[in-house]
Amino acid sequence: MMKEKKVLDYETQQIVSKFTDYTYTVNIYVPNGEVPQGGFPVLYVLDGSSYFHLVKEAIRLQSRNAPKTGVFPTIVVGIGHGADMHERRFYDFTGQAETYTYPARFKGNGYEKHGGAANFSRFLEEELKPNIQAKFPVNTQHEALFGHSLAGYYVLWQLFHHQASFQRYIAISPSIWWNEHELFNFASTFIKERPFAYEKLFIGVGELETFMVDDAQQIASELQKIMDISFYEALEENHASIVPTVMSRAIRFMNKK
């Protein structure tokens, strides 16, 4: 009996970054059908090895009936690390600082390298996005960045330091606790420097995430003074279950005009 060969609806690239000196696995999904005027929106998904397929399928299925779901055909770009994912995330997704402090709950465990967010940002802006824009029909005025946990910290870091890079930001259970809550200082500076931010931000968190709920509520409350914020607390959800629970809501927010 012959086995049918599975035809994938996405492509995979290995992209070597000169800025981070690292090779990323990048999965790219492009919708079938007519290209909208101006090109497709694009959603860049951090921790792509974990979340690319979830996000791709949520968009693919719901965009079949966009008028009812509020989800439109979108290019999805998943950015994944290799076998050293856990260690590498603490480099790529954290901002540079003079010192790095882990909470007591880590019991002295941690990683040696931190502070690579600026280099990772250059990878996104100067290497990955131009590559995607050159090959696919992209609407460069409708690009979004998604991240969960420490990648959610990075989403907020990117907003505060390079807000014009994306028009939509999605931070799920962001690790605002990182390095003694330094994101609050970044947020304060961000707010002081502009009367209004045109970017939109979705923050989602699970009810069972205890202190992370308070952190997320606080930073959302501050940022709503100058920008369009959607904050959602998912009842009875935890750090592991939150992403599939709120993903559709986050995607609908991305599609808001």
Side-chain angles (χ1 to χ4, degrees), residues 9 18 20 137 201-202 206 209-210 227 229 249:
D9 62 355
K18 67 180 181 182
T20 65
L201 170 65
F202 178 93
E209 295 189 87
T210 61
M227 65 186 302
I229 297 281
R249 184 179 293 265

Side-chain angles (χ1 to χ4, degrees), residues 103 105 176-177 181 205 207-216:
R105 65 180 180 277
I176 298 170
W177 55 262
H181 292 81
V205 66
E207 177 191 24
L208 303 182
E209 295 189 87
T210 61
F211 65 90
M212 295 185 75
V213 178
D214 296 333
D215 287 348

Side-chain angles (χ1 to χ4, degrees), residues 61-72 248 252:
L61 293 172
Q62 294 181 69
S63 63
R64 292 174 177 175
N65 194 355
K68 286 190 175 181
T69 64
V71 175
F72 294 88
S248 293
R252 289 197 302 272

Side-chain angles (χ1 to χ4, degrees), residues 22-47:
Y22 192 82
T23 302
Y24 299 93
T25 299
V26 178
N27 291 323
I28 307 160
Y29 163 76
V30 180
N32 291 321
E34 183 179 353
V35 178
Q37 184 176 2
F40 287 111
V42 186
L43 177 53
Y44 289 87
V45 178
L46 303 179
D47 290 326

